Amino acid sequence: MSLLDMIGPVMIGPSSSHTAGACRIGQVARQLLGQTPAHAEIGLHASFAKTGKGHGTHLALVAGLLGYAPDDARLPQAFGEAASAGLTFNFETVDLGDVHPNSARLTVSGNGQTVTVIGSSTGGGVIEIIRVDGFKVSFSGGAFTLLTRYNDAVGVIAKVAGLLAADHVNIAALTCDRDKRGGNAMLCIELDQTLGNAAQHFLLSWPEMDWVRMVQPVMDAGIVAPVLLGTTA
Protein backbone atom coordinates (compact mmCIF):
# COMPACT_ATOMS: atom_id res chain seq x y z
CA MET A 1 0.00 0.00 0.00
CA SER A 2 1.37 3.42 -0.97
CA LEU A 3 1.20 6.59 1.07
CA LEU A 4 -1.45 7.94 -1.29
CA ASP A 5 -3.62 4.89 -0.59
CA MET A 6 -3.64 5.81 3.10
CA ILE A 7 -4.46 9.51 2.72
CA GLY A 8 -8.15 10.27 2.97
CA PRO A 9 -10.08 13.45 2.19
CA VAL A 10 -9.75 16.61 4.27
CA MET A 11 -12.96 16.50 6.26
CA ILE A 12 -14.88 16.78 9.48
CA GLY A 13 -14.97 13.16 10.73
CA PRO A 14 -15.51 10.50 11.55
CA SER A 15 -15.82 8.59 8.25
CA SER A 16 -14.58 9.27 4.73
CA SER A 17 -17.37 7.17 3.22
CA HIS A 18 -20.23 7.88 5.62
CA THR A 19 -19.41 11.55 6.24
CA ALA A 20 -17.27 13.07 3.46
CA GLY A 21 -18.89 11.02 0.70
CA ALA A 22 -22.39 11.67 2.02
CA CYS A 23 -21.70 15.39 2.12
CA ARG A 24 -20.62 15.35 -1.51
CA ILE A 25 -23.77 13.51 -2.57
CA GLY A 26 -25.73 16.31 -0.92
CA GLN A 27 -23.64 18.94 -2.71
CA VAL A 28 -24.41 17.36 -6.08
CA ALA A 29 -28.15 17.14 -5.33
CA ARG A 30 -28.17 20.84 -4.43
CA GLN A 31 -26.48 21.75 -7.70
CA LEU A 32 -28.90 19.63 -9.72
CA LEU A 33 -31.82 21.43 -8.10
CA GLY A 34 -30.08 24.72 -8.85
CA GLN A 35 -30.52 26.19 -5.36
CA THR A 36 -30.56 25.35 -1.68
CA PRO A 37 -33.65 23.11 -1.27
CA ALA A 38 -36.66 24.16 0.74
CA HIS A 39 -37.36 20.50 1.55
CA ALA A 40 -35.58 17.17 1.20
CA GLU A 41 -36.87 13.61 1.48
CA ILE A 42 -33.79 11.51 2.19
CA GLY A 43 -33.83 7.72 1.90
CA LEU A 44 -30.92 5.83 3.45
CA HIS A 45 -29.97 2.42 2.05
CA ALA A 46 -28.28 -0.52 3.83
CA SER A 47 -25.13 0.61 5.69
CA PHE A 48 -26.10 4.28 5.48
CA ALA A 49 -29.36 3.41 7.26
CA LYS A 50 -27.84 1.03 9.83
CA THR A 51 -24.79 3.00 10.94
CA GLY A 52 -25.39 6.45 9.53
CA LYS A 53 -26.23 8.25 12.77
CA GLY A 54 -23.03 7.14 14.44
CA HIS A 55 -20.95 8.15 11.44
CA GLY A 56 -22.56 11.55 10.90
CA THR A 57 -24.23 10.57 7.63
CA HIS A 58 -27.48 12.39 8.38
CA LEU A 59 -25.64 15.60 9.27
CA ALA A 60 -23.32 15.30 6.28
CA LEU A 61 -26.13 14.88 3.74
CA VAL A 62 -27.91 17.96 5.08
CA ALA A 63 -24.63 19.90 5.16
CA GLY A 64 -24.08 19.06 1.51
CA LEU A 65 -27.57 20.28 0.65
CA LEU A 66 -26.61 23.58 2.26
CA GLY A 67 -23.52 23.74 0.04
CA TYR A 68 -20.99 22.94 2.78
CA ALA A 69 -17.85 21.02 1.88
CA PRO A 70 -16.75 17.96 3.94
CA ASP A 71 -14.19 20.06 5.83
CA ASP A 72 -16.63 22.84 6.77
CA ALA A 73 -16.60 23.43 10.53
CA ARG A 74 -20.37 23.95 10.44
CA LEU A 75 -21.05 20.34 9.40
CA PRO A 76 -21.72 19.05 12.95
CA GLN A 77 -24.33 21.82 13.35
CA ALA A 78 -25.96 21.13 9.98
CA PHE A 79 -29.45 20.57 11.39
CA GLY A 80 -29.44 23.94 13.13
CA GLU A 81 -27.96 25.61 10.05
CA ALA A 82 -30.72 24.04 7.95
CA ALA A 83 -33.39 25.47 10.24
CA SER A 84 -31.85 28.92 9.86
CA ALA A 85 -31.77 28.50 6.06
CA GLY A 86 -35.40 27.36 5.89
CA LEU A 87 -34.51 23.81 4.81
CA THR A 88 -36.77 21.08 6.19
CA PHE A 89 -35.99 17.41 5.75
CA ASN A 90 -37.13 13.91 6.55
CA PHE A 91 -35.15 10.65 6.76
CA GLU A 92 -36.39 7.15 6.03
CA THR A 93 -34.89 3.72 5.44
CA VAL A 94 -35.20 2.50 1.85
CA ASP A 95 -34.16 -0.51 -0.21
CA LEU A 96 -32.54 0.73 -3.41
CA GLY A 97 -31.82 -2.75 -4.72
CA ASP A 98 -28.46 -3.90 -6.02
CA VAL A 99 -26.43 -0.78 -5.32
CA HIS A 100 -23.49 0.02 -3.05
CA PRO A 101 -24.48 -0.28 0.65
CA ASN A 102 -23.42 3.34 1.26
CA SER A 103 -26.14 4.83 -0.90
CA ALA A 104 -28.88 7.43 -0.51
CA ARG A 105 -31.84 8.74 -2.46
CA LEU A 106 -32.44 12.46 -2.14
CA THR A 107 -35.62 14.07 -3.44
CA VAL A 108 -35.06 17.80 -3.12
CA SER A 109 -37.49 20.57 -3.94
CA GLY A 110 -37.76 24.32 -3.94
CA ASN A 111 -39.19 27.19 -5.97
CA GLY A 112 -41.39 24.85 -7.99
CA GLN A 113 -38.51 22.53 -8.93
CA THR A 114 -37.97 18.91 -7.81
CA VAL A 115 -35.03 16.59 -8.50
CA THR A 116 -34.44 13.03 -7.29
CA VAL A 117 -30.84 11.87 -7.03
CA ILE A 118 -29.40 8.47 -6.08
CA GLY A 119 -25.74 8.48 -5.14
CA SER A 120 -23.27 6.03 -3.63
CA SER A 121 -20.24 6.71 -1.45
CA THR A 122 -17.71 4.13 -2.57
CA GLY A 123 -14.88 4.79 -0.10
CA GLY A 124 -12.29 7.42 0.69
CA GLY A 125 -14.77 10.23 0.09
CA VAL A 126 -15.29 9.16 -3.52
CA ILE A 127 -18.87 9.14 -4.82
CA GLU A 128 -20.82 7.97 -7.84
CA ILE A 129 -24.13 9.49 -8.89
CA ILE A 130 -26.07 6.65 -10.49
CA ARG A 131 -29.57 8.03 -11.14
CA VAL A 132 -31.13 11.44 -11.67
CA ASP A 133 -34.94 11.62 -11.91
CA GLY A 134 -35.00 7.89 -12.63
CA PHE A 135 -32.53 8.04 -15.52
CA LYS A 136 -29.30 6.06 -15.33
CA VAL A 137 -26.23 8.29 -15.15
CA SER A 138 -22.65 7.79 -14.05
CA PHE A 139 -20.47 10.59 -12.76
CA SER A 140 -18.19 11.08 -9.79
CA GLY A 141 -18.37 14.79 -9.06
CA GLY A 142 -14.65 14.95 -9.78
CA ALA A 143 -15.09 16.79 -13.09
CA PHE A 144 -17.35 19.43 -14.58
CA THR A 145 -20.49 17.55 -15.58
CA LEU A 146 -23.20 18.66 -17.98
CA LEU A 147 -26.64 17.07 -17.61
CA THR A 148 -29.54 17.71 -19.94
CA ARG A 149 -33.05 16.30 -19.97
CA TYR A 150 -34.57 16.42 -23.45
CA ASN A 151 -37.05 14.95 -25.89
CA ASP A 152 -35.41 11.96 -27.56
CA ALA A 153 -34.85 12.71 -31.24
CA VAL A 154 -32.37 11.96 -33.99
CA GLY A 155 -29.25 14.10 -33.85
CA VAL A 156 -29.63 15.67 -30.39
CA ILE A 157 -26.45 14.13 -28.98
CA ALA A 158 -24.52 15.16 -32.09
CA LYS A 159 -25.81 18.73 -31.73
CA VAL A 160 -24.70 18.86 -28.09
CA ALA A 161 -21.27 17.48 -29.02
CA GLY A 162 -21.00 20.12 -31.73
CA LEU A 163 -21.86 22.89 -29.26
CA LEU A 164 -19.16 21.63 -26.88
CA ALA A 165 -16.61 21.57 -29.69
CA ALA A 166 -17.55 25.11 -30.73
CA ASP A 167 -16.99 26.22 -27.12
CA HIS A 168 -13.60 24.40 -27.13
CA VAL A 169 -14.70 22.02 -24.37
CA ASN A 170 -13.46 18.43 -24.50
CA ILE A 171 -15.62 15.42 -23.56
CA ALA A 172 -14.10 13.07 -20.98
CA ALA A 173 -17.02 10.61 -20.65
CA LEU A 174 -20.61 10.40 -21.88
CA THR A 175 -23.68 8.37 -20.91
CA CYS A 176 -27.30 8.67 -21.98
CA ASP A 177 -30.57 7.01 -21.04
CA ARG A 178 -34.19 7.30 -22.18
CA ASP A 179 -37.53 6.04 -20.94
CA LYS A 180 -38.63 5.01 -24.44
CA ARG A 181 -37.91 5.76 -28.07
CA GLY A 182 -39.04 9.30 -28.79
CA GLY A 183 -39.75 9.86 -25.09
CA ASN A 184 -37.80 11.61 -22.38
CA ALA A 185 -34.03 11.20 -22.23
CA MET A 186 -31.07 12.35 -20.17
CA LEU A 187 -27.55 13.05 -21.36
CA CYS A 188 -24.67 13.10 -18.85
CA ILE A 189 -21.28 14.38 -20.05
CA GLU A 190 -18.15 14.76 -17.93
CA LEU A 191 -15.98 17.57 -19.30
CA ASP A 192 -12.38 18.73 -19.05
CA GLN A 193 -13.59 22.25 -18.25
CA THR A 194 -16.86 24.04 -17.68
CA LEU A 195 -19.17 24.98 -20.51
CA GLY A 196 -19.49 28.75 -20.85
CA ASN A 197 -22.64 30.46 -19.58
CA ALA A 198 -23.59 31.69 -23.05
CA ALA A 199 -23.34 28.16 -24.45
CA GLN A 200 -25.38 26.78 -21.54
CA HIS A 201 -28.20 29.26 -22.12
CA PHE A 202 -28.07 28.66 -25.87
CA LEU A 203 -28.39 24.93 -25.19
CA LEU A 204 -31.42 25.54 -22.99
CA SER A 205 -33.07 27.54 -25.79
CA TRP A 206 -33.24 24.49 -28.06
CA PRO A 207 -36.81 23.19 -28.50
CA GLU A 208 -35.73 19.64 -27.57
CA MET A 209 -34.32 20.72 -24.19
CA ASP A 210 -36.35 20.67 -21.00
CA TRP A 211 -33.67 21.03 -18.33
CA VAL A 212 -29.93 21.84 -18.24
CA ARG A 213 -27.47 21.72 -15.34
CA MET A 214 -23.73 22.33 -15.17
CA VAL A 215 -22.41 20.55 -12.06
CA GLN A 216 -19.19 21.94 -10.64
CA PRO A 217 -16.64 19.48 -9.16
CA VAL A 218 -17.20 18.64 -5.49
CA MET A 219 -14.03 16.68 -4.80
CA ASP A 220 -12.11 19.79 -3.70
CA ALA A 221 -12.81 21.86 -0.60
CA GLY A 222 -15.04 24.89 -0.89
CA ILE A 223 -18.66 25.96 -0.81
CA VAL A 224 -20.55 24.97 -3.94
CA ALA A 225 -22.79 27.72 -5.29
CA PRO A 226 -25.55 26.35 -7.53
CA VAL A 227 -26.57 28.20 -10.66
CA LEU A 228 -30.21 27.85 -11.69
CA LEU A 229 -30.48 28.02 -15.47
CA GLY A 230 -34.19 27.25 -15.47
CA THR A 231 -36.29 25.09 -17.74
CA THR A 232 -38.17 25.59 -20.96
CA ALA A 233 -41.43 24.46 -19.36
Side-chain angles (χ1 to χ4, degrees):
M1 180 179 289
S2 70
L3 178 61
L4 290 178
D5 291 327
M6 295 184 288
I7 296 176
V10 178
M11 65 173 194
I12 302 296
S15 169
S16 61
S17 58
H18 283 67
T19 314
C23 182
R24 287 170 173 155
I25 293 170
Q27 285 181 303
V28 170
R30 178 175 181 261
Q31 290 196 68
L32 289 173
L33 182 64
Q35 60 190 298
T36 298
H39 183 71
E41 290 289 330
I42 303 173
L44 302 175
H45 172 74
S47 180
F48 264 11
K50 293 177 182 178
T51 65
K53 286 188 177 180
H55 286 99
T57 303
H58 300 65
L59 289 166
L61 287 165
V62 172
L65 293 176
L66 292 170
Y68 300 168
D71 64 343
D72 196 304
R74 296 170 293 179
L75 190 152
Q77 289 79 47
F79 289 175
E81 296 285 339
S84 298
L87 165 59
T88 60
F89 51 87
N90 181 61
F91 290 97
E92 62 177 338
T93 298
V94 296
D95 183 353
L96 298 177
D98 187 19
V99 300
H100 194 284
N102 298 334
S103 294
R105 182 184 66 209
L106 287 70
T107 299
V108 293
S109 58
N111 197 29
Q113 303 278 339
T114 300
V115 176
T116 297
V117 179
I118 297 178
S120 302
S121 178
T122 59
V126 176
I127 66 169
E128 182 184 10
I129 305 301
I130 58 175
R131 284 191 180 268
V132 174
D133 285 344
F135 294 99
K136 294 179 182 178
V137 299
S138 179
F139 67 98
S140 68
F144 297 98
T145 305
L146 174 69
L147 290 102
T148 70
R149 189 173 62 229
Y150 60 97
N151 297 321
D152 180 49
V154 174
V156 173
I157 295 175
K159 285 177 64 177
V160 174
L163 177 65
L164 294 173
D167 208 43
H168 304 287
V169 176
N170 192 42
I171 294 174
L174 182 152
T175 59
C176 62
D177 189 27
R178 64 184 183 181
D179 55 13
K180 62 181 179 180
R181 183 176 182 178
N184 296 311
M186 181 164 289
L187 183 61
C188 172
I189 310 177
E190 291 185 283
L191 306 170
D192 286 347
Q193 64 267 7
T194 189
L195 183 64
N197 286 336
Q200 292 179 50
H201 285 282
F202 179 67
L203 177 62
L204 186 60
S205 74
W206 294 359
E208 303 95 341
M209 291 298 160
D210 175 55
W211 178 92
V212 176
R213 291 290 185 273
M214 187 76 237
V215 178
Q216 306 295 310
V218 299
M219 298 307 293
D220 296 323
I223 295 176
V224 179
V227 178
L228 180 61
L229 291 176
T231 66
T232 59

